[in-house]
Amino acid sequence: MAEQAVAPPTAEQKPHYLGHRDRLRERFASAGHSALPDYELLELLLFRLIPRADTKPVAKALLARFGTLAEVLGAPENLLREVKGIGPAVALDLKIIAAAAQRMLRSEIKGRETLSSWAQVLDYCRAAMAFEEREQFRILFLDKKNALIADEVQQTGTVDHTPVYPREVVRRALELSSTAIVLVHNHPSGDPTPSRADIDMTKEIVEIGKRLGIAVHDHIIIGKKGHVSMKGLLLI
């Protein structure tokens, strides 16, 4: 018995999301990202990562779980994979996109006078640390012109504590010929209010640094919804 020929799918049989993808790409091309809400921008990212499915429900589920586009990209891989539609490969790809965004932000402050680019410094620190599940203690090492020499995570701790050794902080600054530093750490709880231990540790670094000609410009604490400057609070 001869096989019956299978007719190619008609326009009506094509997945409904294909037209939606074309329209969304056209809106982005004509009006830019500011014309799109977070879930549609996230959809655009997911188009390439999930090529044969409707990504709108996935984008909305990610935002419902994590809150904002920044929080989606900052979420750990294991939590991303808990969202329906996000497998290991897509979770990894989202983290690659997040890493590229962080690298872009860091390039905006590398070699520039840091104190005159403070908004970019804060943007970079938030992108790099705000959504980490464990505390990180980061140091921005600056030269005589306050340009960024290096950006290093010196310690990673637990959900609410990072061991910091003030003499090691200053020793590393001397190794890099850095004359000023900015201290940064995150509070995974989301509340950036400095603890007594944060304040005491910072003051110790300030005192040791003074004796060796290394200035501490600020200690910034990053939370999910904002940040606190110890200098702004007159704590240093």
Side-chain angles (χ1 to χ4, degrees), residues 68-225:
T68 66
L69 181 57
E71 287 172 301
V72 170
L73 295 178
E77 279 186 61
N78 62 306
L79 296 185
L80 288 170
R81 291 197 301 268
E82 292 179 2
V83 176
K84 185 178 179 181
I86 301 295
V90 176
L92 178 61
D93 285 343
L94 286 172
K95 298 311 298 180
I96 292 170
I97 291 168
Q102 289 177 23
R103 190 71 58 89
M104 181 183 69
L105 289 170
R106 185 169 65 184
S107 70
E108 292 182 358
I109 62 173
K110 183 73 172 178
R112 294 178 60 180
E113 205 281 313
T114 302
L115 300 185
S116 65
S117 309
W118 200 241
Q120 288 93 332
V121 171
L122 293 174
D123 286 344
Y124 167 65
C125 291
R126 282 195 292 264
M129 303 176 70
F131 308 110
E132 289 290 330
E133 292 185 297
R134 296 189 296 167
E135 277 199 11
Q136 287 183 352
F137 184 75
R138 180 180 234 102
I139 309 171
L140 307 182
F141 296 96
L142 313 177
D143 64 15
K144 291 180 180 179
K145 295 182 179 180
N146 288 320
L148 183 66
I149 298 172
D151 158 33
E152 297 180 354
V153 176
Q154 193 183 61
Q155 297 287 340
T156 299
T158 65
V159 70
D160 60 0
H161 175 69
T162 304
V164 177
Y165 306 99
R167 292 185 184 278
E168 289 299 308
V169 173
V170 176
R171 180 187 65 78
R172 182 59 177 153
L174 292 171
E175 288 177 351
L176 295 171
S177 299
S178 173
T179 56
I181 57 177
V182 176
L183 310 175
V184 191
H185 84 278
N186 63 310
H187 279 180
S189 68
D191 180 3
T193 304
S195 67
R196 184 73 253 172
D198 292 336
I199 297 168
D200 292 343
M201 173 267 293
T202 304
K203 288 182 175 179
E204 187 176 352
I205 294 174
V206 169
E207 288 305 313
I208 296 172
K210 275 182 183 177
R211 296 197 292 268
L212 296 170
I214 298 168
V216 179
H217 285 324
D218 206 343
H219 186 167
I220 303 166
I221 303 176
I222 303 290
K224 287 186 175 70
K225 303 298 183 183

Side-chain angles (χ1 to χ4, degrees), residues 10-44:
T10 64
E12 290 77 11
Q13 293 172 316
K14 289 182 179 180
H16 70 280
Y17 56 80
L18 294 181
H20 170 67
R21 290 184 174 202
D22 290 339
R23 290 190 296 272
L24 198 53
R25 288 191 180 102
E26 288 169 5
R27 282 177 54 208
F28 179 84
S30 62
H33 70 88
S34 59
L36 304 179
D38 276 3
Y39 82 87
E40 288 186 333
L41 194 57
L42 186 52
E43 275 190 82
L44 283 172

